Coordinates of all heavy atoms in Angstrom, one line a residue:
R78 N 116.0 114.7 125.4 CA 116.0 115.0 126.8 C 114.8 116.0 127.1 O 114.6 116.9 126.3 CB 117.3 115.6 127.3 CG 118.5 114.7 127.1 CD 119.7 115.3 127.7 NE 120.0 116.6 127.1 CZ 120.9 117.5 127.4 NH1 121.7 117.2 128.5 NH2 121.1 118.6 126.8
T79 N 114.2 115.8 128.2 CA 113.0 116.7 128.5 C 113.5 118.1 128.6 O 112.8 119.0 128.1 CB 112.4 116.3 129.9 OG1 112.0 114.9 129.8 CG2 111.2 117.1 130.2
K80 N 114.7 118.4 129.1 CA 115.2 119.8 129.2 C 115.4 120.4 127.8 O 115.5 121.6 127.8 CB 116.5 119.8 130.0 CG 117.6 119.1 129.4 CD 118.9 119.1 130.3 CE 119.3 120.5 130.6 NZ 120.6 120.6 131.4
D81 N 115.5 119.6 126.8 CA 115.7 120.2 125.4 C 114.4 120.5 124.7 O 114.5 121.0 123.6 CB 116.5 119.1 124.6 CG 117.9 118.9 125.1 OD1 118.5 119.9 125.7 OD2 118.5 117.8 124.9
L82 N 113.3 120.3 125.3 CA 112.0 120.7 124.7 C 112.0 122.3 124.7 O 112.2 122.9 125.7 CB 110.8 120.2 125.6 CG 110.5 118.7 125.5 CD1 109.5 118.3 126.6 CD2 109.9 118.4 124.1
T83 N 111.7 122.8 123.5 CA 111.6 124.3 123.4 C 110.2 124.7 123.8 O 109.2 123.9 123.9 CB 111.9 124.7 122.0 OG1 110.9 124.2 121.1 CG2 113.3 124.2 121.6
W84 N 110.0 126.0 124.0 CA 108.7 126.5 124.3 C 107.7 126.3 123.1 O 106.5 126.0 123.3 CB 108.8 128.0 124.6 CG 109.5 128.4 125.8 CD1 110.8 128.5 126.0 CD2 108.9 128.5 127.1 NE1 111.1 128.8 127.3 CE2 109.9 128.8 128.0 CE3 107.6 128.5 127.6 CZ2 109.7 129.0 129.4 CZ3 107.4 128.7 129.0 CH2 108.4 129.0 129.8
Q85 N 108.2 126.4 121.9 CA 107.4 126.2 120.7 C 106.9 124.8 120.6 O 105.8 124.5 120.3 CB 108.2 126.6 119.4 CG 108.5 128.0 119.3 CD 109.8 128.5 120.0 OE1 110.3 127.7 120.8 NE2 110.3 129.6 119.7
I86 N 107.9 123.8 120.9 CA 107.5 122.4 120.8 C 106.5 122.1 121.9 O 105.5 121.4 121.7 CB 108.7 121.5 121.0 CG1 109.6 121.6 119.7 CG2 108.3 120.1 121.3 CD1 110.9 120.8 119.8
A87 N 106.6 122.6 123.1 CA 105.7 122.4 124.2 C 104.3 122.9 123.8 O 103.3 122.2 124.1 CB 106.2 123.1 125.5
F88 N 104.2 124.1 123.2 CA 102.9 124.6 122.8 C 102.3 123.8 121.7 O 101.1 123.5 121.7 CB 103.0 126.1 122.3 CG 101.7 126.7 122.0 CD1 100.9 127.1 123.1 CD2 101.3 126.9 120.7 CE1 99.6 127.7 122.8 CE2 100.1 127.5 120.4 CZ 99.3 127.9 121.5
L89 N 103.1 123.3 120.8 CA 102.6 122.4 119.7 C 102.0 121.1 120.3 O 100.9 120.7 119.9 CB 103.7 122.1 118.7 CG 104.0 123.2 117.7 CD1 105.2 122.8 116.9 CD2 102.9 123.6 116.8
I90 N 102.7 120.5 121.2 CA 102.2 119.3 121.9 C 100.9 119.6 122.6 O 99.9 118.8 122.6 CB 103.2 118.8 122.9 CG1 104.5 118.3 122.1 CG2 102.6 117.6 123.7 CD1 105.6 117.9 123.0
G91 N 100.8 120.8 123.2 CA 99.5 121.2 123.8 C 98.4 121.3 122.8 O 97.2 121.0 123.2
L92 N 98.6 121.7 121.6 CA 97.6 121.8 120.6 C 97.1 120.4 120.2 O 95.9 120.2 120.0 CB 98.1 122.5 119.3 CG 98.4 124.0 119.4 CD1 99.0 124.5 118.1 CD2 97.2 124.8 119.9
F93 N 98.0 119.4 120.2 CA 97.5 118.0 120.0 C 96.7 117.6 121.2 O 95.7 116.8 121.0 CB 98.8 117.1 119.8 CG 99.4 117.2 118.5 CD1 100.4 118.0 118.2 CD2 98.8 116.4 117.4 CE1 101.0 118.1 116.9 CE2 99.4 116.5 116.2 CZ 100.5 117.3 115.9
Q94 N 97.0 118.0 122.4 CA 96.3 117.6 123.6 C 94.8 118.2 123.5 O 93.9 117.6 124.0 CB 96.9 118.1 124.8 CG 96.2 117.8 126.1 CD 97.0 118.2 127.4 OE1 97.3 117.4 128.2 NE2 97.2 119.5 127.5
L95 N 94.7 119.3 122.8 CA 93.4 119.9 122.6 C 92.4 118.9 121.9 O 91.2 118.9 122.2 CB 93.5 121.2 121.8 CG 92.3 121.9 121.4 CD1 91.5 122.4 122.7 CD2 92.6 123.2 120.6
V96 N 92.9 118.2 120.9 CA 92.1 117.2 120.2 C 91.5 116.2 121.2 O 90.3 115.9 121.1 CB 92.9 116.5 119.1 CG1 92.0 115.4 118.4 CG2 93.5 117.5 118.2
A97 N 92.3 115.8 122.1 CA 91.8 114.8 123.1 C 90.7 115.5 124.1 O 89.8 114.8 124.6 CB 92.9 114.2 124.0
A98 N 90.9 116.8 124.3 CA 90.0 117.5 125.2 C 88.6 117.6 124.5 O 87.6 117.7 125.2 CB 90.5 118.9 125.5
V99 N 88.6 117.6 123.2 CA 87.3 117.7 122.5 C 86.6 116.4 122.2 O 85.4 116.2 122.4 CB 87.5 118.5 121.1 CG1 86.3 118.5 120.3 CG2 88.1 119.9 121.4
F100 N 87.4 115.4 121.7 CA 86.9 114.1 121.3 C 87.2 113.0 122.2 O 88.4 112.5 122.3 CB 87.4 113.8 119.9 CG 87.0 114.8 118.8 CD1 88.0 115.7 118.4 CD2 85.7 114.9 118.3 CE1 87.6 116.7 117.4 CE2 85.4 115.8 117.4 CZ 86.3 116.7 116.9
P101 N 86.3 112.5 123.0 CA 86.5 111.3 123.8 C 86.9 110.1 123.0 O 86.3 109.9 121.9 CB 85.2 111.1 124.6 CG 84.2 111.8 123.7 CD 84.9 112.9 123.1
G102 N 87.8 109.3 123.5 CA 88.2 108.2 122.7 C 89.6 108.5 122.0 O 90.2 107.6 121.5
T103 N 89.9 109.8 122.0 CA 91.2 110.1 121.4 C 92.4 109.6 122.2 O 93.4 109.1 121.7 CB 91.3 111.7 121.2 OG1 90.3 112.1 120.3 CG2 92.7 112.0 120.6
S104 N 92.3 109.9 123.5 CA 93.3 109.6 124.5 C 94.2 110.8 124.7 O 94.9 111.2 123.7 CB 94.2 108.4 124.2 OG 95.3 108.3 125.0
R105 N 94.2 111.4 125.8 CA 95.1 112.6 126.1 C 96.6 112.2 125.9 O 97.3 112.9 125.2 CB 94.8 113.1 127.5 CG 95.6 114.4 127.8 CD 95.6 114.7 129.3 NE 96.1 113.5 130.0 CZ 97.4 113.3 130.1 NH1 98.3 114.0 129.5 NH2 97.8 112.2 130.7
S106 N 96.9 111.1 126.5 CA 98.3 110.6 126.3 C 98.6 110.2 124.9 O 99.7 110.5 124.3 CB 98.6 109.4 127.3 OG 97.8 108.3 127.0
G107 N 97.6 109.6 124.2 CA 97.8 109.2 122.8 C 98.0 110.4 121.9 O 98.9 110.4 121.1
A108 N 97.2 111.4 122.1 CA 97.3 112.6 121.3 C 98.6 113.4 121.5 O 99.3 113.8 120.5 CB 96.1 113.6 121.6
T109 N 99.0 113.5 122.7 CA 100.3 114.2 123.0 C 101.5 113.5 122.5 O 102.5 114.0 122.0 CB 100.4 114.6 124.5 OG1 100.2 113.4 125.3 CG2 99.3 115.6 124.9
I110 N 101.4 112.1 122.7 CA 102.6 111.3 122.3 C 102.7 111.3 120.7 O 103.8 111.5 120.2 CB 102.4 109.9 122.8 CG1 102.7 109.8 124.3 CG2 103.4 108.9 122.0 CD1 102.4 108.5 124.9
I111 N 101.6 111.2 120.0 CA 101.6 111.3 118.6 C 102.1 112.6 118.1 O 103.0 112.7 117.2 CB 100.2 111.1 118.0 CG1 99.8 109.6 118.0 CG2 100.1 111.5 116.5 CD1 98.4 109.3 117.5
G112 N 101.6 113.7 118.7 CA 102.1 115.0 118.4 C 103.6 115.2 118.6 O 104.3 115.7 117.7
A113 N 104.1 114.7 119.7 CA 105.5 114.8 120.0 C 106.3 114.0 119.1 O 107.4 114.4 118.6 CB 105.7 114.3 121.5
L114 N 105.9 112.8 118.7 CA 106.6 111.9 117.8 C 106.7 112.6 116.4 O 107.7 112.5 115.7 CB 106.0 110.6 117.7 CG 106.0 109.6 118.9 CD1 105.3 108.4 118.6 CD2 107.5 109.4 119.3
M115 N 105.6 113.2 116.0 CA 105.6 113.8 114.7 C 106.5 115.0 114.5 O 107.0 115.3 113.4 CB 104.1 114.3 114.4 CG 103.1 113.2 114.1 SD 101.4 113.8 113.9 CE 101.6 114.6 112.3
I116 N 106.9 115.7 115.6 CA 107.8 116.8 115.5 C 109.2 116.5 116.1 O 109.9 117.4 116.4 CB 107.2 118.0 116.3 CG1 106.8 117.7 117.7 CG2 105.9 118.6 115.6 CD1 106.2 118.9 118.5
G117 N 109.5 115.2 116.2 CA 110.9 114.8 116.4 C 111.2 114.6 117.8 O 112.4 114.6 118.2
V118 N 110.3 114.4 118.7 CA 110.6 114.1 120.1 C 110.7 112.6 120.3 O 109.9 111.8 119.7 CB 109.5 114.6 121.0 CG1 109.8 114.3 122.5 CG2 109.4 116.2 120.8
S119 N 111.7 112.1 121.1 CA 111.8 110.7 121.4 C 110.7 110.1 122.1 O 109.9 110.9 122.8 CB 113.1 110.4 122.1 OG 113.0 110.9 123.5
R120 N 110.5 108.8 122.1 CA 109.4 108.2 122.7 C 109.4 108.4 124.3 O 108.4 108.6 124.9 CB 109.3 106.7 122.4 CG 109.1 106.3 121.0 CD 108.9 104.8 120.8 NE 108.8 104.5 119.4 CZ 109.8 104.1 118.7 NH1 111.0 103.9 119.3 NH2 109.7 103.8 117.4

């Protein structure tokens, strides 16, 4: 559930978003979704 996201998980997802901000072709949604899936967030 979205309400179960912790502050730490939110910040970690933001770090993955950083990759997309630097490298075009990464996909902002792709980077954040991959990051979220890797740390145990549902699709």
Side-chain angles (χ1 to χ4, degrees):
R78 299 182 302 173
T79 305
K80 65 182 299 183
D81 293 332
L82 287 168
T83 65
W84 293 86
Q85 293 87 346
I86 289 176
F88 185 73
L89 285 173
I90 293 174
L92 292 178
F93 281 95
Q94 183 175 239
L95 177 60
V96 178
V99 174
F100 299 105
T103 299
S104 169
R105 186 195 54 77
S106 61
T109 53
I110 288 172
I111 284 177
L114 293 177
M115 289 176 67
I116 55 183
V118 179
S119 71
R120 294 188 189 96

